[in-house]
Amino acid sequence: MATRKKAKARKQPKKPARKPIARKKAPAVRKTTAKKRIVRGAAKKKKPAPRAVKTLKAKPVRVPSAPAKPVAPAAPAAPAPLAGEERIGVVTHYYGQLSVAIVRLESGRLRLGDVVHVVGHSSDFRQRVESMQIEHQSASEVLAGQEFGLKVSEHAREHDVVYKAAGS
């Protein structure tokens, strides 16, 4: 048998590498405003009632009176104090990270060692006063009209009422 020589495959010259294709950016999408939907079965606008025929009447004379006094907003209803407790102040702010309530003392005085009762919508606890500060300075006594920071054992909220126990 005759053997054939295999034909050598012609090698084709290598082509130079192509540059990567740069993709085009998508065009910016414009936001469209929402169109009002037509609601079927919705109540239609009522037509105004026909006007009555005007009759000539004498207009009432308005007598000038004293100017109206501005009405103060009603204070939130405070919870009833327990027997032997007097209301001394209100919590104006609470710092959760420090567990410190800022209290505005309305009446009386408060000293270290006194027992306070904090009552509010969702808070109700008693504790002994162990730490008070006025303007970042430790204080042993606070008088009416002052605002001070009170270290508290539980969470207090704004507008909580602070009572002083009678035995302290």
Side-chain angles (χ1 to χ4, degrees):
M1 271 202 252
T3 58
R4 283 189 178 172
K5 289 186 176 179
K6 290 186 180 177
K8 289 186 177 178
R10 291 185 183 172
K11 290 187 177 179
Q12 292 184 1
K14 287 188 176 180
K15 294 181 181 177
R18 283 194 259 165
K19 291 182 180 177
I21 298 173
R23 294 185 180 232
K24 294 181 181 178
K25 291 184 179 178
V29 178
R30 291 185 180 177
K31 292 184 179 179
T32 58
T33 57
K35 294 180 180 178
K36 290 186 180 179
R37 289 185 180 180
I38 299 173
V39 180
R40 295 183 183 191
K44 294 181 181 179
K45 290 184 179 178
K46 294 181 180 179
K47 293 182 180 179
R51 293 186 178 183
V53 179
K54 290 186 178 180
T55 57
L56 296 175
K57 291 184 179 178
K59 292 184 179 180
V61 178
R62 184 173 180 193
V63 178
S65 61
K69 293 181 182 178
V71 178
L82 297 177
E85 291 185 346
E86 72 170 294
R87 177 181 168 142
I88 57 169
V90 176
V91 175
T92 59
H93 192 74
Y94 176 73
Y95 294 99
Q97 301 87 352
L98 304 172
S99 295
V100 171
I102 304 301
V103 179
R104 183 179 64 242
L105 204 64
E106 297 171 343
S107 64
R109 64 174 58 184
L110 189 64
R111 295 182 180 139
L112 290 176
D114 288 347
V115 177
V116 292
H117 184 192
V118 180
V119 181
H121 177 69
S122 59
S123 55
D124 185 7
F125 64 93
R126 291 174 181 269
Q127 79 167 48
R128 185 170 302 279
V129 176
E130 296 175 356
S131 175
M132 294 189 297
Q133 287 188 355
I134 300 174
E135 300 290 330
H136 304 287
Q137 302 296 321
S138 294
S140 60
E141 183 177 10
V142 181
L143 302 175
Q146 292 181 319
E147 282 199 2
F148 64 98
L150 174 66
K151 183 79 171 172
V152 290
S153 58
E154 295 184 30
H155 189 84
R157 289 156 185 83
E158 290 183 15
H159 309 293
D160 284 0
V161 181
V162 181
Y163 295 98
K164 180 180 174 182
S168 55

